[in-house]
Amino acid sequence: MGAIVGIVFPIFALIGLGYLGRRVGLLTGDAAAALSGYVYYFSLPALLYVKVAEVPVAEFFSGNLIFAYSGGILTATLLIWAVGRLRGMERRTIGMFILNATFGNVGYMGVPFNAVAFGERGIPVVALTIVLTLTITTLLSVTLGLAVMEGGGSNVGGWRGLITSLLPRRFLSNPILLSIAVGVLASLFAIRLPEPVQRFLGLLADTAGPVALFAIGTFLHATPVLKGFREVTVLAGVKLVALPLLTIAWFYWLPVERVPFAIAVLQSAMPVAATNFIFSQQFGVAVEVTAAGIVVSTVLSLLTLSILLFLLL
């Protein structure tokens, strides 16, 4: 529990700093929008490119780990899509829920958490599992979530809208999808950018998480955290409980060794990613629920991750 608190504390400290900035009048009401614009168009594309490009494509075709971990995300996505259609929900709302329910804080919280928990159990295996789960989460969750939101119009629509949202024209108009696509190509052809460019992208990428967390704090100053309590509760339950259970079910069908299995399950159980707030602001959908969901799921993850870690160690 002490290790988890140590990892979570900086997250809340950054959110609190943004809140304090608004509270004492150092920042204006437009701060959250300006910060989210920076993350969405600059630092987050750099982060996604760097993370995807650094993983050799060959690693995605080795073992059950990839398929089982991906299976959990895909199953959750399909279930959310089906429920959304049955309830007649707006397309963008469905897409945002998919993002929130499947795209967890696997980087800024998942990496240090699993490194501390499993660092002494074989560094190559631990490192590879962490990087693969981070990359798969990015590729699937972000691509599918944005594809649903970009599918055209405000209606739920059908598979045609989902497919057309993945066409080249959509990639070229969306900095997030474009950065993922370019990262995949860089990995596929082993493209290495000049060192100064790599350092520049690394510096830019490192700001994505902290700035997103700070932006959440500035936004929460004027937003009741308990607004949309029912939606936030459902979101936290799906992200922290349902997705890990789906992941475990897939691993029972496609088993792997104990340590990769444990890391993958814990990665699936990470709270809602802070960068999802940036997506919600840019698309203008479920902003309050997403901001509150990040805060609530992170608090509750202190308990759920502790239980999972106890069961998996």
Side-chain angles (χ1 to χ4, degrees):
M1 177 64 79
I4 300 175
V5 172
I7 294 168
V8 170
F9 171 76
I11 294 174
F12 284 105
L14 282 167
I15 294 175
L17 200 60
Y19 183 93
L20 183 64
R22 281 291 306 278
R23 181 77 176 181
V24 301
L26 295 176
L27 301 170
T28 67
D30 297 328
L35 291 170
S36 67
Y38 163 76
V39 175
Y40 186 79
Y41 290 105
F42 298 100
S43 62
L44 189 54
L47 173 66
L48 296 176
Y49 169 81
V50 170
K51 292 301 181 183
V52 173
E54 68 183 11
V55 179
V57 171
E59 299 292 352
F60 287 99
F61 302 95
S62 57
N64 292 341
L65 173 66
I66 312 303
F67 300 104
Y69 186 79
S70 301
I73 295 175
L74 289 170
T75 304
T77 298
L78 291 174
L79 289 173
I80 294 168
W81 171 266
V83 172
R85 293 200 61 175
L86 288 174
R87 297 187 61 184
M89 293 170 61
E90 186 182 41
R91 172 182 289 277
R92 291 190 175 188
T93 302
I94 297 176
M96 197 63 234
F97 197 96
I98 289 172
L99 261 176
N100 286 332
T102 62
F103 190 32
N105 197 350
V106 292
Y108 293 99
M109 187 169 168
V111 171
F113 178 84
N114 283 291
V116 170
F118 299 96
E120 299 179 357
R121 304 208 177 185
I123 292 177
V125 174
V126 173
L128 177 60
T129 305
I130 292 174
V131 170
L132 285 179
T133 52
L134 191 155
T135 307
I136 294 166
T137 303
T138 301
L139 286 171
L140 287 181
S141 299
V142 176
T143 301
L144 291 172
L146 291 187
V148 174
M149 286 195 285
E150 293 257 22
S154 60
N155 298 323
V156 172
W159 289 106
R160 182 178 179 182
L162 180 60
I163 294 173
T164 57
S165 65
L166 295 173
L167 293 178
R169 182 174 62 85
R170 292 287 188 179
F171 275 100
L172 293 176
S173 64
N174 188 299
I176 306 302
L177 296 179
L178 180 60
S179 64
I180 293 174
V182 174
V184 171
L185 291 176
S187 175
L188 181 63
F189 295 104
I191 298 174
R192 178 72 180 180
L193 298 175
E195 189 61 29
V197 178
Q198 282 289 123
R199 290 186 178 183
F200 164 70
L201 291 177
L203 288 172
L204 198 57
D206 288 342
T207 65
V211 175
L213 290 167
F214 190 88
I216 292 170
T218 65
F219 177 79
L220 288 176
H221 175 263
T223 304
V225 175
L226 294 181
K227 185 176 181 179
F229 179 76
R230 180 181 177 183
E231 291 85 352
V232 172
T233 303
V234 172
L235 172 59
V238 173
K239 184 68 197 73
L240 300 177
V241 180
L243 182 58
L245 290 177
L246 287 172
T247 304
I248 290 172
W250 273 88
F251 274 112
Y252 271 104
W253 182 40
L254 299 169
V256 296
E257 294 181 0
R258 184 72 176 180
V259 171
F261 164 74
I263 293 174
V265 172
L266 288 168
Q267 286 285 70
S268 71
M270 290 295 151
V272 180
T275 46
N276 287 354
F277 173 74
I278 306 302
F279 293 127
S280 68
Q281 277 222 317
Q282 291 299 315
F283 283 88
V285 57
V287 183
E288 295 87 355
V289 171
T290 300
I294 292 167
V295 174
V296 172
S297 65
T298 303
V299 172
L300 293 178
S301 70
L302 292 172
L303 174 62
T304 55
L305 287 174
S306 296
I307 294 173
L308 278 174
L309 188 60
F310 174 78
L311 295 174
L312 293 171
L313 281 177

